[in-house]
Amino acid sequence: MHRRTFLATAMGLVTLMAGFAPQVARAQDDGRMLTFGLSANVGNLIYGPSRGAAQFIVNQQLHRGLVKFDENGTVVPALAESFEAVDTSTYRFTLRKGLVFHDGTPIDSTTVKASLEYLARRETGAAIYAALSTLEAIETPDADTVLVRLSKPNASLLDYLADPNAGISPPAALAPGAVNWIGAGPFRLKANDSGVSLTLVKADTYYDKDAVALDGVKFIFYPDSSARANALIAGDVDMVDFVGWEDFERIEATPKLVLDAVPGPFVYTLFNTGRAPFDNPKVRQAIAYAINRDNVVAAAFYGHGNPLNGMPMSPGNDRYDPAMGELWSYDPDKARALLAEAGVAKGMKISLLTSSTYSFFRDMALSMQADLKAVGIDAELNAPDWPTYTSAKNGGNYDLAVAGGAPSVTGPVYMQAYAVGAPASSFGSYGYDASEIVAHIQAGEAIAGDEEARAEYAKAVRIIGDQVPFLPLAQRSQAFAYTDRVKGFRNIPGFLSITGTGYMIEKTSIR
């Protein structure tokens, strides 16, 4: 179906409120301040749970973990001056001397221990919980040394510790709902104009402060993608994230602007497995066969993406198996048959959670709504702003939900974070018990040989195909855009476009 035809029809079914563009005057003497048009209001930063791409970017300026990603997507030292694998289940981190938070509070091995143990609690709902679920002990033999011991080998632990949600935080942030603005990153918070902008300035406390060229970053919230693009074209901001796919060509055609687009994250559907009928795997399978993924790519990404019929994976990863990407297909007849087997009556009404903040979330939901209608399911869209959406998603206030994925790792181990159900994982379907899937994935991580490891991952993938704990739909092109005055910035390809690229701002300068 042509995109314009599809949207014209779908918009007749539901009307959603578009985001507004804040009117923030830009100072004429910004100097070395980077003005950044950010795709969402981050609300209050909370330690641990994932709250989307905009929060990742802000976290990467304010906070810092033991390690981080560099411009090539490689894990490199951060608060840890060095790290090593003592054995397959033990990692040693040696902290830099004189580390402090922005408020001057010292950071030592006990600080790190408290943060990691908090992230390892199931009730925290941390983005990296799945990776720390095998945490056995953290030892602090002295103020500068941290030994992390796991009950099972995890070859991807360092990648997870580079996740923006894994920054080491002060004791006051280690409580559910506690605000988390004070960190150990390259910038500190100067001003918070709630709902409009954040102003960050260079932190004199940062361990690598001499390498930071910018005096600060001003984030201005532009929830509407067209408004973000217009602000960049007009010169109101130096850079924007999450360029709308409808604006790719317009930005490329504008002199002195750079469109930095790479193959990026994936989008998927969540199920509330604590509610009938989505506690029934047959119903989840039916949804997998009901959705036309080509329409999702056309409607949400203007063709700048690829449909997914299984698990997204990097072909360059040594443990990749093409069969992981071949689990479902578009087959409405099979979807109807599965619904009939599950005893689901035609005309069943459900709620479909999306968000008004990102237009592609809205357009995905509209595409899904039409497909679900075709197999006898009436989906009513609920499209709040981003903070309300994340609260509803993480709290299970939905039947189906549109979501986006940006794993911190490129190998198959990433799947466990999406299989584990919320509230334990902020990426997963609410209430889903993924213990069998996780057992196979962790067994694969514990095996040195790639071929033997792939056999364990294959067992996990087969369960995912049958149980459908979450439903990948498409991999999208992901773009930042900026004026050619911005130097040193690079959009990291693949999943790390979301979880790694924000680290590049400390390497950025303005000519």
Side-chain angles (χ1 to χ4, degrees):
M1 183 184 296
H2 192 278
R3 186 180 190 281
R4 289 193 182 92
T5 304
F6 168 78
L7 287 181
T9 302
M11 289 305 288
L13 301 175
V14 62
T15 301
L16 299 172
M17 181 179 292
F20 67 92
Q23 300 300 312
V24 180
R26 181 177 180 188
Q28 296 303 307
D29 56 347
D30 285 341
R32 295 191 300 175
M33 286 288 291
L34 178 73
T35 307
F36 195 121
L38 194 63
S39 56
N41 173 11
V42 299
N44 273 326
L45 296 184
I46 306 298
Y47 187 47
S50 172
R51 294 177 181 268
Q55 177 234 39
F56 289 167
I57 293 171
V58 174
N59 264 344
Q60 286 161 317
Q61 313 322 310
L62 293 172
H63 298 285
R64 199 50 94 240
L66 291 171
V67 293
K68 64 179 182 178
F69 295 112
D70 70 7
E71 62 273 17
N72 299 311
T74 302
V75 175
V76 296
L79 297 184
E81 186 175 51
S82 64
F83 54 84
E84 63 174 328
V86 179
D87 55 45
T88 57
S89 301
T90 307
Y91 291 82
R92 177 186 288 113
F93 300 89
T94 302
L95 301 181
R96 299 176 189 272
K97 300 290 186 183
L99 291 173
V100 296
F101 290 112
H102 295 154
D103 63 357
T105 303
I107 300 171
D108 61 16
S109 59
T110 61
T111 315
V112 174
K113 175 181 168 72
S115 285
L116 296 184
E117 288 180 340
Y118 180 75
L119 296 176
R121 297 176 194 164
R122 183 180 179 88
E123 59 270 22
T124 299
I128 67 165
Y129 167 76
L132 291 178
S133 62
T134 58
L135 180 65
E136 189 172 82
I138 297 179
E139 299 174 13
T140 55
D142 57 56
D144 299 326
T145 306
V146 180
L147 280 169
V148 177
R149 299 191 185 277
L150 307 175
S151 60
K152 298 178 181 178
N154 184 344
S156 300
L157 178 68
L158 293 173
D159 295 68
Y160 279 110
L161 293 180
D163 186 288
N165 296 292
I168 303 304
S169 289
L174 309 185
V179 297
N180 189 35
W181 293 105
I182 295 175
F187 301 95
R188 61 176 175 82
L189 180 67
K190 179 181 180 182
N192 183 353
D193 188 356
S194 183
V196 179
S197 66
L198 294 172
T199 302
L200 313 184
V201 294
K202 183 175 177 178
D204 290 336
T205 53
Y206 186 50
Y207 66 84
D208 199 20
K209 65 180 180 181
D210 292 341
V212 179
L214 294 170
D215 291 333
V217 184
K218 183 168 187 174
F219 291 108
I220 304 173
F221 306 138
Y222 289 87
D224 181 74
S225 61
S226 293
R228 270 196 314 284
N230 290 339
L232 178 66
I233 291 169
D236 295 334
V237 297
D238 302 307
M239 174 182 288
V240 297
D241 71 324
F242 245 118
V243 178
W245 295 268
E246 67 275 19
D247 290 315
F248 274 29
E249 287 76 15
R250 187 159 66 105
I251 287 176
E252 286 182 309
T254 303
K256 298 187 177 181
L257 292 185
V258 176
L259 180 76
D260 194 347
V262 298
F266 68 100
V267 290
Y268 60 105
T269 299
L270 296 173
F271 307 91
N272 189 333
T273 64
R275 294 181 183 176
F278 299 105
D279 56 344
N280 187 334
K282 287 188 180 295
V283 175
R284 300 196 296 268
Q285 284 183 33
I287 303 300
Y289 287 102
I291 304 302
N292 186 328
R293 293 154 177 80
D294 288 324
N295 276 356
V296 169
V297 172
F301 307 122
Y302 287 72
H304 297 290
N306 299 297
L308 293 173
N309 290 306
M311 296 298 101
M313 208 74 65
S314 171
N317 188 276
D318 291 336
R319 298 189 167 188
Y320 172 77
D321 183 343
M324 296 175 183
E326 301 168 357
L327 299 181
W328 311 285
S329 61
Y330 175 50
D331 190 339
D333 289 336
K334 187 167 185 174
R336 294 185 193 98
L338 286 164
L339 290 173
E341 288 178 33
V344 174
K346 281 187 177 182
M348 179 182 68
K349 296 184 182 299
I350 66 167
S351 66
L352 174 54
L353 179 65
T354 181
S355 175
S356 60
T357 298
Y358 295 117
S359 61
F360 77 95
F361 263 44
R362 175 200 65 201
D363 294 342
M364 281 176 59
L366 289 169
S367 182
M368 290 174 58
Q369 185 184 48
D371 291 336
L372 293 172
K373 181 73 172 177
V375 298
I377 298 175
D378 290 327
E380 180 179 354
L381 270 58
N382 176 22
D385 62 13
W386 190 251
T388 307
Y389 160 85
T390 56
S391 177
K393 177 176 71 70
N394 294 342
N397 296 321
Y398 64 88
D399 291 321
L400 294 182
V402 170
S408 299
V409 294
T410 59
V413 67
Y414 89 85
M415 294 185 292
Q416 68 180 347
Y418 292 83
V420 171
S425 169
S426 52
F427 293 114
S429 291
Y430 193 80
Y432 183 77
D433 179 5
S435 54
E436 190 178 4
I437 296 171
V438 170
H440 288 301
I441 292 173
Q442 291 183 349
E445 284 295 288
I447 297 172
D450 292 338
E451 185 175 348
E452 295 85 354
R454 277 194 293 269
E456 285 294 336
Y457 299 137
K459 294 174 186 176
V461 170
R462 280 196 292 271
I463 298 171
I464 290 172
D466 291 337
Q467 292 285 315
V468 199
F470 68 105
L471 180 61
L473 296 176
Q475 188 169 24
R476 65 181 191 249
S477 180
Q478 185 78 12
F480 289 76
Y482 39 88
T483 170
D484 62 4
R485 294 173 54 241
V486 172
K487 303 297 179 183
F489 183 86
R490 183 193 177 200
N491 190 3
I492 302 177
F495 292 160
L496 297 184
S497 175
I498 292 286
T499 53
T501 299
Y503 288 121
M504 298 302 99
I505 291 178
E506 72 176 278
K507 297 178 176 292
T508 298
S509 62
I510 299 180
R511 187 176 62 194

